[in-house]
Amino acid sequence: MSAPKKVVLAYSGGLDTSIILKWLQTEYGCEVVTFTADLGQGEELDPARKKAELLGIKPENIHIEDVREEFVRDFVFPMFRANALYEGLYLLGTSIARPLISKRLVEIAEMTGADAVAHGATGKGNDQVRFELSAYALNPHIKVIAPWREWDLTSRTKLLEFAEANQIPIAKDKRGEAPFSVDANLLHTSSEGKVLENPAEEAPEYVLQRITRPEDAPDTPEFVEITFEKGDAVAINGAAMSPATILTKLNELGGKHGVGILDLVENRFVGMKSRGVYETPGGTILLEAHRGIEQITLDAGAGHLKDSIMPRYAELIYNGFWFSPEREMLQALIDKSQEHVSGTVRVKLYKGSARTVARRSDHSLYSEKHVTFEEDAGAYDQKDAAGFIRLNALRLKLIATRNERVKG
Amino acid sequence: MSAPKKVVLAYSGGLDTSIILKWLQTEYGCEVVTFTADLGQGEELDPARKKAELLGIKPENIHIEDVREEFVRDFVFPMFRANALYEGLYLLGTSIARPLISKRLVEIAEMTGADAVAHGATGKGNDQVRFELSAYALNPHIKVIAPWREWDLTSRTKLLEFAEANQIPIAKDKRGEAPFSVDANLLHTSSEGKVLENPAEEAPEYVLQRITRPEDAPDTPEFVEITFEKGDAVAINGAAMSPATILTKLNELGGKHGVGILDLVENRFVGMKSRGVYETPGGTILLEAHRGIEQITLDAGAGHLKDSIMPRYAELIYNGFWFSPEREMLQALIDKSQEHVSGTVRVKLYKGSARTVARRSDHSLYSEKHVTFEEDAGAYDQKDAAGFIRLNALRLKLIATRNERVKG
Amino acid sequence: MSAPKKVVLAYSGGLDTSIILKWLQTEYGCEVVTFTADLGQGEELDPARKKAELLGIKPENIHIEDVREEFVRDFVFPMFRANALYEGLYLLGTSIARPLISKRLVEIAEMTGADAVAHGATGKGNDQVRFELSAYALNPHIKVIAPWREWDLTSRTKLLEFAEANQIPIAKDKRGEAPFSVDANLLHTSSEGKVLENPAEEAPEYVLQRITRPEDAPDTPEFVEITFEKGDAVAINGAAMSPATILTKLNELGGKHGVGILDLVENRFVGMKSRGVYETPGGTILLEAHRGIEQITLDAGAGHLKDSIMPRYAELIYNGFWFSPEREMLQALIDKSQEHVSGTVRVKLYKGSARTVARRSDHSLYSEKHVTFEEDAGAYDQKDAAGFIRLNALRLKLIATRNERVKG
Amino acid sequence: MSAPKKVVLAYSGGLDTSIILKWLQTEYGCEVVTFTADLGQGEELDPARKKAELLGIKPENIHIEDVREEFVRDFVFPMFRANALYEGLYLLGTSIARPLISKRLVEIAEMTGADAVAHGATGKGNDQVRFELSAYALNPHIKVIAPWREWDLTSRTKLLEFAEANQIPIAKDKRGEAPFSVDANLLHTSSEGKVLENPAEEAPEYVLQRITRPEDAPDTPEFVEITFEKGDAVAINGAAMSPATILTKLNELGGKHGVGILDLVENRFVGMKSRGVYETPGGTILLEAHRGIEQITLDAGAGHLKDSIMPRYAELIYNGFWFSPEREMLQALIDKSQEHVSGTVRVKLYKGSARTVARRSDHSLYSEKHVTFEEDAGAYDQKDAAGFIRLNALRLKLIATRNERVKG
């Protein structure tokens, strides 16, 4: 790979990506363009602009964008249509944000004539894979620079020395090492590393960033009604809202009631296990509600097919294959199923749990007429069940007969 | 089908199966053998014996058995190795008990020279299917009688008239209709029908049979440690226990802390939707803990394969195909995966939720040496990730290049 | 089910459906509408009209249609996009025709105000299921009449007596029983029953209806080039043709060269096994060619996902669930994959086999630059493979290390 | 990775691995142990011994073994139980041999105190992955050396210069470059590269190594009967034979009749497509026959489950994951299914095709009594089908009713 001339850097404004910024200038002598996204991580973006300017980035090379609506509408919601859970439990909060960032990095590169993009993910994690697979899928000619895999700043001390040598301001609280590493966006906050590295020890409570400890949550349950149209949430308690507003609102509710904490040891795509604490307050409610509305609007054929492909879909997103033919094929299947997934679900929030308690829909397939214990006026002939069972049993009987004969 | 001469009836001692008992005698003039199982449903079995005698069953034709250990060891535990959830949420508490009952019915039939078995499930539900598929799979010559699909006792009034006409004692509280229908065993209690038939209305709280309302659960969390060997729970808080004892103990803990309530609309095998409230206190903890121990003892290859076949496995059990080649094939796959699923998981119980907070195992695949944010002494070469990503990206780049060319 | 007033009958003009026609009139006293479709079965339809008239059907109640183009375009081609094979071998020639017939039956019923449809499939086979599931899916209010399951004409003798008693003309060669039963359409001819019922005996050669015995096929191979656009065949040897014309042409070629004979024992949906001889000359070539074009235009992600869902897709069609949400979901996935499945495949036909020997496409993902054994000018860095392998191996090494440790 | 001290090399005796042998001695100054296996590739092994000695390998360091029986018994046959086909067509002839070679390399390393193994696969192909994943899975401490990824002998000229400089004898016909590259073992011969690199051009006929051109095959069909026990072939035409003998015999038959030629463009695990011509004469017959015996001995539940996991199983073997938990889990599932896969299949071989024409088994599930078109003496009640269909249709009717209502 020839040296990059102009690089678009995913820039948070923090110490690490500031060091990367400087390192790119120093190492490659290249022009740096910064991209800072508001994904709902809950941080001001103005300081990122100021810091980029301070580090010598030209104003026209500083790109700061609020992508929250795009994030929820085009990434989070399509994923929730699938009820995606990685390894049975993880709502993919970090995984789903990476392809959006890569998409914008590549678009800005094309817009500004840059030949490379750069990110601050390490060589041990999943994020490097997600950033890079997305970038290559969107632009096969782009160069991707992953400084953590390249440089020799392999210790905290060396990083701080580099920062000082290059006049990068260091916040006081960054002198010492953070007790764990955090990633956040509108869907979730993840914490991992350091004090969390021993999965046999309970995570300290101070790890929680945005969810109230269930013990400290209100003593009274709260109910929320979520309305769906074609699989996507469109209203809360009857009030229509934009996608990002809905997720924000659900985050508030979930956070307040202690909903959405997960302590997980998971399998990274690069082959090792890691332990993380994930907080997904709104997402946890949304998944519960989406399952609730599907219960009455999807039949068994559609629902079971969705369930059977879900693990593969979740794995693809986790592994960084959002922009891949197979993810798009699965999405087509999932989206096809959502045509009638419309209606309203009532969820009870209480000290750490979110449970569907009621659901209604004009598109409901639930037929009280059929299921009733009462007289059903001929809707269902119980005698049909006899034939149904006998034909389902036929092959089992033939097997049993064969086995008798063989053992004979 | 020729008329049965001797029938083994799954007999609970309740009004409905007593009516069936009498009806079999009346309708077919056949000898009736009763089988009453203690599956942990929490009812005394002595009254069932007395009632059978009262209805004229010869003592040697009355079979009462405690099958709790067999139930948990040979049915519940194998199923939990798979993390089985039907439609994403249901722990299959009713489904998994039916094949055991059928197995004993068939065995008693063979022992007593009976040519038929009978059950009290209706023609609308799943249980008829589960009873009958199991019976036919185990004995292809057996006759199965399902009185609910045959008789004309199609209303409460007619049933009571039949009971009275045949001197079947009717408990006072059975004169009126129950507000909902209940099934229970050591794994769960299900409630459905009547007051629960409208899924848009929240279930009344009096439906709960064995789980404390989360709001009434203790204000202090409790922690429980569950030890697994080859995928099965073998000890609680360090004390070794038999399978049924473990589940009983977990039921107490879960019930106390409000854990394991599910309000579900599900798809029955016979084609209609039904709504149930399920209480699975111990099973909910067990699933959480089993997932917890698998997190550190299964690698991604094994874990993801298990996840991908789980929905099919759960569907088979739900639909009544426990005794089928495909369930046994899936079980072989699952059991093979559990060889190293040994270790201890710590679960926090609090007002309705059960969350894994720590896990440890001699068989752990978690490698702090590899995952650490600190210096890893060469355990992992971050540069390997570059090649890993580039080859994973190669096909995506070839696609992107093709697409450019074609759009040209 | 109340008695039908007006029935649309799938009418072939043959003896059996003529008897059904008369039986419907006799049994239900209902008006009969006939529907006779040209699906490419290779029979004149005029006699069917005459016979219907002879049996008293009013001219306006006789519907005869050439549906060959619709059949191939909307049923056969979508199915071939999936490379569908039931039980690894069967090209689903009968299965795929049934939903089209049901669709037209229901449409004609709606058009003519009929309240029922009727078909001539027996109670042992798959076709009854396919006809009826399709009909119910398209019109939940329709009645379906399956005379073979209802009447007492349970022997050849009784059928002939009924025919004679009702002045139904009996062709001379129908007096005796056919040595096997045949179904045909543009995609295939199937033979089953009677002389074929023992799967341990080779099928007699006279069973073949449309394919030359390989031994009698030309001694010189013939090559055919098939051009695809978005997964569908559009031209043969460079000449653009309509879907039905393409299949007709491929049938001629395959038939001439002995291609497409299958002797199969399969599992029917109703639980028993049956043995059939299938002749699918054009379809066999088409499948081979479609696989050939996918080889260069689909990447591994898309191709393997398609392969993994194919058995389920084929099973759905075989079982009669063409008009079901899950088939439509899978179709959405499959169709999404075909956007670039365009290009030309060269197939060699010779004495019973059809083999792809070359393929080319503007949409090709094959990169000679990457794969070459020669100098590749940096297209691929072989060192990348080292990292790729090491990270793929990491979990395996961790397992091996664990196993060493545990075994001590 | 520290330098290896003693290396076990997979040594064919050919020019390339002789150069590798010398290069290992030169580059690392390490002791070299050679392993040459008779996998049925059809070459004398004596010359390999002589050449190794000539290149200075000590006699005790030269390991030559006939592993044909182990190859077929423990690798080929287990794979054929699954009917494994990669990308629908490829019988995995090369893929399945690699894990065995790696297993012996690692075992010999452990036996001889070597710390490394080496192979002659290039950095572009699948074989490097297969060799190395297997080696790491079997011994996590082993070093693997892949000279083609390391050295600078990047052209034919440089290789020959190195050979000459190191007194490696060069056969006359190796001076020029081979027109394509060949790999062979008892299961298959593959050819790729060079003259085959353009998939739009038909492969020249001289590529075929062991299969007669169909045009040159006998004009008379030949029939062969293969007997299976628990899924494995045990006899041919009634004569019991060892696994390797059976495959050898089938290779003769298939080769004679032109059976088993495949021209394929496939997706390599490393991300690129390649084109190969595969000759698998015996394997093609064996697959056909195994499917034939499964047709009568497996029920739909077992057979369809096997079909649904087969693509994943084949992909694992292709990608080199033979020694992985997930392959072993799938194998457990597959093996479980084969308990009754016993019986005899008759296959017709003729000018390029192998077709099952008859099959019989004491374990057969085929029931002529059920399927017959004749009177079945009550084995099957056709009326059962009505209930079977109505309950299968119920959800479809509920969907249709819902759709009507919604469209209103």
Side-chain angles (χ1 to χ4, degrees), chain C residues 338-350:
Chain C
Q338 301 293 294
E339 289 172 4
H340 291 280
V341 180
S342 303
T344 298
V345 176
R346 183 171 172 83
V347 178
K348 178 180 178 179
L349 310 174
Y350 178 66

Side-chain angles (χ1 to χ4, degrees), chain A residues 151-226:
Chain A
W151 66 27
D152 55 0
L153 305 177
T154 52
S155 71
R156 197 76 201 155
T157 313
K158 287 185 192 165
L159 281 169
L160 293 176
E161 283 170 9
F162 181 93
E164 277 169 6
N166 288 279
Q167 285 85 44
I168 300 170
I170 305 170
K172 263 192 188 152
D173 63 340
K174 297 289 178 183
R175 288 271 159 200
E177 287 197 57
F180 52 90
S181 163
V182 174
D183 175 68
N185 60 47
L186 199 56
L187 181 55
H188 98 331
T189 297
S190 75
S191 302
E192 57 178 19
K194 312 288 174 60
V195 302
L196 296 171
E197 279 182 10
N198 183 352
E201 282 182 21
E202 203 173 335
E205 293 190 339
Y206 62 74
V207 164
L208 294 186
Q209 312 272 309
R210 64 204 273 183
I211 300 185
T212 305
R213 272 201 335 156
E215 294 90 322
D216 302 329
D219 289 328
T220 314
E222 182 168 357
F223 293 81
V224 57
E225 292 207 345
I226 304 175

Side-chain angles (χ1 to χ4, degrees), chain B residues 185-298:
Chain B
N185 60 46
L186 200 55
L187 180 55
H188 98 330
T189 297
S190 75
S191 302
E192 56 178 20
K194 311 290 175 59
V195 301
L196 296 170
E197 278 182 10
N198 182 352
E201 282 183 20
E202 202 173 335
E205 293 190 339
Y206 62 76
V207 165
L208 293 185
Q209 311 273 310
R210 63 203 276 184
I211 299 184
T212 307
R213 274 201 333 156
E215 293 90 324
D216 301 330
D219 289 328
T220 314
E222 183 170 356
F223 293 81
V224 57
E225 292 206 345
I226 305 175
T227 299
F228 291 86
E229 268 178 29
K230 297 187 189 297
D232 293 342
V234 295
I236 293 182
N237 294 330
M241 297 175 196
S242 75
T245 316
I246 281 182
L247 189 50
T248 304
K249 179 71 183 160
L250 292 178
N251 279 337
E252 286 167 25
L253 286 165
K256 174 178 163 193
H257 288 284
V259 169
I261 304 167
L262 173 65
D263 181 323
L264 182 71
V265 177
E266 80 205 40
N267 294 293
R268 287 191 186 156
F269 188 27
V270 295
M272 67 184 69
K273 288 183 179 292
S274 72
R275 191 260 198 108
V277 171
Y278 298 115
E279 298 168 69
T280 321
T284 301
I285 301 173
L286 192 59
L287 172 68
E288 174 72 14
H290 187 261
R291 278 209 170 276
I293 192 62
E294 285 196 343
Q295 284 167 21
I296 53 172
T297 56
L298 286 189

Side-chain angles (χ1 to χ4, degrees), chain A residues 296-302 340 361-365 367 370 379-381 383-392 394-396 398-400 402-403 405-407, chain D residues 296-302 340 361-365 367 370 379-381 383-392 394-396 398-400 402-403 405-407:
Chain A
I296 52 171
T297 56
L298 286 190
D299 76 302
H340 290 279
S361 170
D362 293 339
H363 299 253
S364 179
L365 295 170
S367 170
H370 282 83
Y380 179 95
D381 184 348
K383 288 188 176 43
D384 285 344
F388 179 73
I389 295 170
R390 273 197 289 269
L391 293 205
N392 270 297
L394 180 48
R395 69 179 169 96
L396 303 177
L398 290 170
I399 292 169
R402 183 264 309 272
N403 292 358
R405 192 179 67 228
V406 173
K407 280 168 195 164
Chain D
I296 53 172
T297 56
L298 286 190
D299 77 301
H340 291 279
S361 169
D362 293 339
H363 299 252
S364 178
L365 295 169
S367 171
H370 281 84
Y380 179 95
D381 184 349
K383 288 190 174 42
D384 285 344
F388 179 74
I389 295 170
R390 273 197 290 269
L391 293 207
N392 270 298
L394 180 49
R395 68 178 171 96
L396 303 178
L398 290 169
I399 292 169
R402 183 263 309 271
N403 292 358
R405 192 179 70 230
V406 174
K407 280 172 193 161

Side-chain angles (χ1 to χ4, degrees), chain A residues 84-363:
Chain A
L85 286 174
Y86 180 68
E87 300 192 341
L89 294 165
Y90 172 40
L91 281 155
L92 295 162
T94 298
S95 324
I96 192 62
R98 300 320 190 192
L100 169 54
I101 296 173
S102 274
K103 176 169 169 278
R104 294 300 297 132
L105 288 175
V106 167
E107 288 168 352
I108 293 170
E110 288 168 358
M111 212 166 61
T112 61
D115 57 338
V117 299
H119 64 77
T122 79
K124 285 191 168 180
N126 296 302
D127 286 332
Q128 57 175 341
V129 191
R130 296 165 186 154
F131 278 129
E132 298 178 31
L133 292 183
S134 292
Y136 291 134
L138 294 171
N139 183 334
H141 316 294
I142 204 81
K143 291 176 187 117
V144 182
I145 303 173
W148 284 98
R149 294 201 308 256
E150 293 190 26
W151 66 27
D152 55 0
L153 305 177
T154 52
S155 71
R156 197 76 201 155
T157 313
K158 287 185 192 165
L159 281 169
L160 293 176
E161 283 170 9
F162 181 93
E164 277 169 6
N166 288 279
Q167 285 85 44
I168 300 170
I170 305 170
K172 263 192 188 152
D173 63 340
K174 297 289 178 183
R175 288 271 159 200
E177 287 197 57
F180 52 90
S181 163
V182 174
D183 175 68
N185 60 47
L186 199 56
L187 181 55
H188 98 331
T189 297
S190 75
S191 302
E192 57 178 19
K194 312 288 174 60
V195 302
L196 296 171
E197 279 182 10
N198 183 352
E201 282 182 21
E202 203 173 335
E205 293 190 339
Y206 62 74
V207 164
L208 294 186
Q209 312 272 309
R210 64 204 273 183
I211 300 185
T212 305
R213 272 201 335 156
E215 294 90 322
D216 302 329
D219 289 328
T220 314
E222 182 168 357
F223 293 81
V224 57
E225 292 207 345
I226 304 175
T227 300
F228 290 87
E229 268 177 30
K230 297 185 189 298
D232 294 339
V234 296
I236 293 181
N237 294 330
M241 297 176 197
S242 75
T245 315
I246 280 183
L247 188 50
T248 304
K249 179 73 183 158
L250 291 178
N251 279 337
E252 286 167 24
L253 286 165
K256 174 178 165 193
H257 288 284
V259 170
I261 303 168
L262 173 66
D263 181 322
L264 182 71
V265 177
E266 79 204 42
N267 293 295
R268 287 190 186 157
F269 188 26
V270 293
M272 68 183 70
K273 287 183 178 293
S274 72
R275 191 261 198 107
V277 171
Y278 298 115
E279 298 167 70
T280 321
T284 301
I285 302 172
L286 192 60
L287 172 68
E288 175 72 14
H290 186 260
R291 278 209 170 277
I293 192 64
E294 285 195 342
Q295 284 167 21
I296 52 171
T297 56
L298 286 190
D299 76 302
H304 294 192
L305 176 56
K306 276 193 73 204
D307 284 349
S308 74
I309 58 92
M310 184 279 281
R312 177 88 185 101
Y313 177 86
E315 184 186 51
L316 286 170
I317 294 177
Y318 184 86
N319 287 354
F321 290 95
W322 179 264
F323 293 113
S324 71
E326 62 272 31
R327 203 279 308 170
E328 289 169 6
M329 287 160 66
L330 288 170
Q331 195 70 54
L333 178 152
I334 292 159
D335 291 354
K336 178 75 186 166
S337 75
Q338 302 290 295
E339 288 171 5
H340 290 279
V341 180
S342 304
T344 298
V345 176
R346 184 171 170 83
V347 178
K348 179 181 177 179
L349 309 175
Y350 179 65
K351 285 190 177 287
S353 66
R355 281 206 311 108
T356 296
V357 295
R359 53 315 249 166
R360 62 181 185 274
S361 170
D362 293 339
H363 299 253

